[in-house]
Amino acid sequence: MEPSECTINHWRLDIASASLIHQITGEQRRLGEYQLRLLTVFIEHAGEILSRDQLTQWVWARRIIGNNSLPNAVHALRVALEDDGKQQRIIKTITRKGYILEAEFCQPLEKAPEPLPVVAEKLQAEPEITPERLPEREETPVPVPVERAIPVTKARATASQWQKTGMIILITALTTLLLGWGWKTWLMKEDDAVVMRSIEENVYSNIRIFELADSQAFEESKDDLHFRLKNTLYRINQTLKGRSIHMQIYYHLSEMVLNYTIVLSNSCGKRQLAMNVYQWRLNADQLNSLIYRETERKLNEMDVCAS
């Protein structure tokens, strides 16, 4: 099966953007170069046990890598696919043999049915019959008055506008429900004791920062994300002030992954961006560059409010 033609636990691999896209919520999670290659190999050999030597040769070719490179890449894929590292439902570790991607989780991507062909000649040959226009008799043709045709056109246009408005309202409501459901699921899926605390409350005029974790993690945490990002956040805050935009940051720290979400809002609307940053501790400059670049991109999507 082609890697781009299957879904794994509702996640579809998009090779062009090197990311996983959720088929229900539309959330996008970017993968590193070797994580992308590793997942591609797993999908192509779904249901097969692959040894460490095979995976190392196919993914890293002739590069010299450390002993932890493969386990770390497997762990990152499990996190991205929402697999449990202990139960290992999707990607399993086979002792002394290697790894396997369970074939039952690699489902074919559903394709939309092709539209039926339209026979144009037949449609043109048969006149349309509607309540407003009855078939005319050959011996007594009755023309339709122009005065009656105008109200019918307006009525149809009004109905069409109401249908479009209804669809927009429905799409907006569904989007709001999905976003709310996503956060609620994340907060409750692991531990009911997950709490949120405010970080550096009075430092920025237009930014509020919140960390999500359980109470024990708060006490044991040794990673000060704000210390790493404070210069970048100061620059972003200056831009927010100039454009009358407020931003809320929600983040969660794990061993390898930074879950980072921003919500931008002004009097005209809101924008939201969620990211999973892997190996975020390794390079502070790259982390700051990523955060600034993605925030700036989302800011440029904001509507400009009329003064």
Side-chain angles (χ1 to χ4, degrees):
M1 181 181 297
E2 291 295 327
S4 59
E5 294 180 357
C6 81
T7 59
I8 304 175
N9 199 24
H10 301 297
W11 292 93
R12 175 177 64 85
L13 176 61
D14 184 50
I15 298 179
S17 63
S19 61
L20 291 166
I21 300 176
H22 201 278
Q23 294 298 95
I24 299 176
T25 64
E27 179 185 350
Q28 184 173 0
R29 296 180 175 180
R30 296 181 180 177
L31 299 177
E33 176 184 357
Y34 297 109
Q35 296 162 9
L36 175 63
R37 291 184 185 179
L38 180 60
L39 183 56
T40 300
V41 170
F42 274 136
I43 294 175
E44 291 175 345
H45 299 272
E48 302 179 21
I49 298 176
L50 303 177
S51 68
R52 291 177 60 95
D53 291 340
Q54 286 177 313
L55 293 172
T56 301
Q57 181 180 357
W58 291 340
V59 176
W60 283 272
R62 298 180 180 178
R63 293 178 178 272
I64 300 175
I65 61 173
N67 294 330
N68 294 327
S69 296
L70 178 58
N72 287 343
V74 171
H75 175 74
L77 288 182
R78 285 172 176 157
V79 172
L81 294 171
E82 299 177 330
D83 191 11
D84 191 326
K86 295 182 179 179
Q87 296 182 359
Q88 299 180 6
R89 298 179 303 112
I90 301 174
I91 301 176
K92 291 186 176 181
T93 302
I94 308 300
T95 306
R96 297 182 181 179
K97 292 184 178 181
Y99 300 91
I100 183 175
L101 171 65
E102 291 291 353
E104 62 182 286
F105 286 94
C106 193
Q107 300 295 326
L109 182 66
E110 296 184 1
K111 297 183 179 179
E114 297 182 0
L116 296 176
V118 178
V119 183
E121 294 181 357
K122 184 176 180 181
L123 294 177
Q124 294 174 0
E126 297 179 1
E128 181 183 2
I129 300 177
T130 65
E132 294 83 5
R133 180 184 177 187
L134 299 176
E136 300 177 353
R137 297 181 180 179
E138 294 182 0
E139 65 274 11
T140 56
V142 180
V144 179
V146 176
E147 296 82 358
R148 297 180 183 178
I150 295 176
V152 172
T153 304
K154 290 183 177 180
R156 289 179 178 175
T158 303
S160 177
Q161 292 174 356
W162 276 108
Q163 290 176 356
K164 292 180 180 178
T165 303
M167 286 298 296
I168 294 174
I169 295 174
L170 178 59
I171 292 173
T172 303
L174 288 174
T175 302
T176 303
L177 288 174
L178 286 173
L179 290 174
W181 173 83
W183 272 109
K184 183 177 179 181
T185 302
W186 187 91
L187 290 173
M188 297 179 64
K189 68 182 180 180
E190 293 185 352
D191 190 353
D192 292 336
V194 171
V195 293
M196 178 172 65
R197 69 171 179 179
S198 180
I199 306 295
E200 304 294 341
E201 292 186 358
N202 301 317
V203 174
Y204 307 103
S205 60
N206 291 51
I207 299 177
R208 295 197 65 188
I209 308 172
F210 301 93
E211 181 180 4
L212 303 171
D214 56 44
S215 56
Q216 182 179 2
F218 282 146
E219 296 175 359
E220 298 177 354
S221 177
K222 298 180 181 179
D223 296 297
D224 187 355
L225 181 67
H226 175 260
F227 178 78
R228 297 170 184 256
L229 298 179
K230 61 182 181 180
N231 292 333
T232 295
L233 294 179
Y234 176 79
R235 293 172 58 195
I236 293 174
N237 188 69
Q238 295 299 103
T239 303
L240 294 173
K241 288 174 61 178
R243 297 176 58 178
S244 299
I245 297 175
H246 287 80
M247 180 172 72
Q248 292 181 333
I249 300 173
Y250 303 89
Y251 71 90
H252 172 259
L253 303 175
S254 65
E255 181 180 355
M256 296 181 60
V257 183
L258 164 64
N259 304 111
Y260 186 88
T261 298
I262 63 172
V263 179
L264 300 168
S265 61
N266 60 11
S267 58
C268 299
K270 291 185 176 181
R271 286 288 188 274
Q272 178 171 313
L273 173 66
M275 296 187 295
N276 288 332
V277 185
Y278 298 92
Q279 305 290 354
W280 61 277
R281 297 185 180 93
L282 297 182
N283 192 312
D285 291 337
Q286 290 185 3
L287 176 64
N288 278 269
S289 177
L290 173 66
I291 296 298
Y292 185 83
R293 182 177 66 251
E294 292 300 311
T295 304
E296 185 179 40
R297 179 178 64 83
K298 213 64 183 177
L299 277 170
N300 292 333
E301 297 178 5
M302 295 288 291
D303 296 328
V304 179
C305 300
S307 57

